[in-house]
């Protein structure tokens, strides 16, 4: 278990991809207005908390523990999750997502599958996962594995 603390700083996101602008640009290449619209009514909030104070989220069919560190609301175009696996635990399915992911292994060790390749990972390793790449993880060793997962949300995947 990690006895040190860390600070997460989130810069405010004040613009969002304009779906109307995307539609207009499909029909008129001469449109010069911005692809992004100002988010006047969406303000990010200051969040100061501990990971262990965040509620465990239900993961039907899975054994790992999952905590979300940011609200799932429009001002945020990403989310950060903490996933905990006890030794021998693994993802029950090979996952494929439309959004990119970033992962930082905070504790423990394991094996990560990306596409058809297998990578041994340990605390301190970072992984970037492209959209639509099959992925799978198993915790190996004698201690818990914990990783921080960055994931795009509230974005047009195209």
């Amino acid at each position: 278990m990690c006895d040190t603390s860390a600070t997460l700083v989130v810069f405010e996101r004040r613009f969002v991809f304009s779906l109307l602008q995307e539609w207009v640009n499909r029909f008129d290449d001469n449109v010069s207005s911005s692809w992004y619209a100002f988010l006047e009514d969406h303000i990010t909030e200051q969040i100061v908390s501990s990971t262990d104070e965040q509620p465990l989220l239900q993961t039907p069919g899975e054994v790992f523990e999952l905590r979300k560190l940011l609200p799932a609301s429009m001002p945020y175009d990403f989310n950060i999750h903490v996933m905990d696996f006890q030794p021998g635990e693994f993802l029950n399915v090979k996952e494929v997502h439309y959004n990119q992911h970033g992962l930082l292994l905070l504790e423990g060790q394991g094996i990560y599958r990306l596409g058809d390749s297998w990578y041994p990972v340990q605390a301190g390793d970072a992984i970037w996962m492209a959209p639509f790449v099959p992925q799978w993880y198993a915790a190996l060793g004698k201690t818990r594995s914990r990783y921080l997962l960055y994931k795009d949300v509230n974005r047009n995947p195209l």
Side-chain angles (χ1 to χ4, degrees), residues 115-149:
D116 292 326
S117 298
W118 299 80
Y119 302 94
V121 292
Q122 62 185 359
D125 288 348
I127 300 173
W128 176 77
M129 295 160 268
F132 303 108
V133 172
Q135 54 193 265
W136 180 86
Y137 178 73
L140 304 175
K142 297 181 180 183
T143 61
R144 166 181 83 173
S145 286
R146 171 174 267 193
Y147 61 74
L148 191 70
L149 183 73

Side-chain angles (χ1 to χ4, degrees), residues 14-136:
R14 303 304 296 263
F15 296 87
V16 66
F17 185 74
S18 171
L19 294 178
L20 175 60
Q21 189 62 50
E22 176 186 9
W23 183 82
V24 168
N25 284 347
R26 285 184 185 174
F27 299 100
D28 186 355
D29 292 333
N30 297 320
V31 174
S32 61
S33 58
S34 173
W35 278 85
Y36 290 86
F38 187 67
L39 287 173
E40 289 186 39
D41 298 332
H42 297 283
I43 306 297
T44 55
E45 57 192 273
Q46 181 177 358
I47 300 169
V48 178
S49 184
S50 169
T51 300
D52 294 330
E53 291 175 5
Q54 301 306 310
L56 287 174
L57 301 178
Q58 292 191 14
T59 55
E62 294 288 359
V63 293
F64 61 84
E65 293 182 346
L66 174 66
R67 290 177 170 88
K68 233 179 229 193
L69 301 186
L70 294 176
S73 60
M74 281 306 293
Y76 301 93
D77 65 351
F78 67 95
N79 209 316
I80 299 174
H81 299 166
V82 170
M83 298 175 72
D84 291 325
F85 294 82
Q86 295 305 317
E89 291 182 345
F90 54 88
L91 292 170
N92 285 327
V93 296
K94 180 174 56 173
E95 299 179 327
V96 177
H97 300 283
Y98 71 87
N99 49 3
Q100 66 180 340
H101 288 57
L103 177 153
L104 175 62
L105 194 62
L106 301 172
E107 299 176 26
Q109 61 186 27
I111 189 154
Y112 219 94
R113 178 182 179 182
L114 295 174
D116 292 326
S117 298
W118 299 80
Y119 302 94
V121 292
Q122 62 185 359
D125 288 348
I127 300 173
W128 176 77
M129 295 160 268
F132 303 108
V133 172
Q135 54 193 265
W136 180 86

